[in-house]
Amino acid sequence: MTADTAGDAGAAENGFRRWRDAAREALYGPDGFYRRPGAGPAGHFRTSVHASPLYARAVARLLCRVDEALGRPPALDFVDMAAGRGELVTGVLGALPADVAERTRPFAVELAARPEGLDDRIVWRDEPPEGVTGLLFANEWLDNVPLDVAEVDASGTPRYVLVRADGAERLGKPVAGVDAGWLDRWWPLPPEEGLRAEIGLPRDHAWTAAVATLERGAAVAVDYAHGAGARPPFGTLTAFREGRETAPVPDGS
């Protein structure tokens, strides 16, 4: 891969931009993957929510434990981050004991439009409510917060990876500032050409903001992960289409 030594301006003129910007539009733009009507993500891949009703039951049990720890408050909040089509929050409501369900205020946080036929009790929002008392649950949300990708060039310098809507890539400017600091701390790249990392700072910020909405209770993030000492050498960026893993192309499909 060649580096854009003149900077990112010329690349932008040719349709190249950083992965974070490209992914944001492809996933969450007006016609983005997560905002389109229809089956949504479940038409292309399954999470634990889709695989078995046991998952929703386990989350319901966790919510009951939080309820007990809080002294059974008059109103118990359940916030489902990145709610998809409301599958998890619906399953949790159906699995709660009647006395807990009566006090539960369910929130589904999602940028897509509210699906038809959803339980009227569920409040559909594009951001979490403030002052949550209960459980904020983020199931496979953080892995969909857009971020930049870095790749080491021939001189051993990590550079931003630029991408076009058709998936073509090239290297841009060297990673600098807080992004470089994050890489040094959490995903240091040896000076070996072609090694890659994802700069997770936006996900740190997103999780911090979500947790800040919690007044009393618990916040849980469930996602794929790897330790800082065992980072995959070429990153984790991938895509799925109709159940099959495929090359990521930021065109919304």
Side-chain angles (χ1 to χ4, degrees):
M1 187 173 295
T2 59
D4 176 18
T5 55
D8 295 344
E13 293 176 0
N14 294 317
F16 287 91
R17 51 185 170 165
R18 292 183 187 177
W19 260 108
R20 183 182 180 189
D21 296 329
R24 183 185 297 113
E25 181 174 335
L27 296 177
Y28 305 112
D31 193 36
F33 177 76
Y34 283 105
R35 303 188 74 163
R36 290 179 176 177
H44 296 278
F45 55 82
R46 296 198 306 170
T47 69
S48 300
V49 174
H50 307 114
S52 169
L54 294 175
Y55 192 76
R57 294 174 197 167
V59 178
R61 288 198 297 270
L62 176 60
L63 180 59
C64 289
R65 290 174 59 186
V66 172
D67 182 42
E68 290 292 337
L70 293 174
R72 297 175 59 82
L76 177 69
D77 297 325
F78 176 67
V79 181
D80 180 10
M81 294 292 298
R85 298 301 185 263
E87 298 94 338
L88 178 60
V89 65
T90 297
V92 169
L93 279 178
L96 288 173
D99 63 314
V100 179
E102 289 175 358
R103 292 182 290 108
T104 296
R105 298 189 300 186
F107 296 91
V109 181
E110 177 60 61
L111 293 178
R114 182 187 182 99
E116 295 183 5
L118 195 67
D119 192 313
D120 291 338
R121 293 174 295 174
I122 299 172
V123 179
W124 197 264
R125 299 173 54 103
D126 60 5
E127 58 184 22
E130 295 290 337
V132 172
T133 296
L135 174 63
L136 182 143
F137 199 85
N139 187 73
E140 296 191 30
W141 165 53
L142 290 175
D143 66 327
N144 291 314
V145 174
L147 42 64
D148 279 313
V149 177
E151 181 177 319
V152 179
D153 68 10
S155 70
T157 302
R159 292 179 176 269
Y160 292 105
V161 177
L162 310 181
V163 64
R164 205 166 54 193
D166 62 1
E169 293 181 334
R170 64 183 298 181
L171 297 186
K173 292 180 179 180
V175 178
V178 293
D179 287 345
W182 191 95
L183 280 183
D184 288 342
R185 172 65 179 86
W186 296 107
W187 198 330
L189 283 168
E192 182 178 336
E193 184 178 8
L195 296 185
R196 283 194 169 201
E198 286 113 31
I199 304 171
L201 189 61
R203 295 178 180 174
D204 293 346
H205 290 165
W207 181 241
T208 299
V211 172
T213 66
L214 192 68
E215 187 169 302
R216 299 176 63 225
V220 177
V222 180
D223 228 309
Y224 300 96
H226 39 77
R231 301 295 193 197
F234 303 108
T236 65
L237 180 64
T238 191
F240 287 86
R241 186 178 181 87
E242 298 178 354
R244 295 179 181 274
E245 189 171 6
T246 186
V249 177
D251 63 358
S253 65

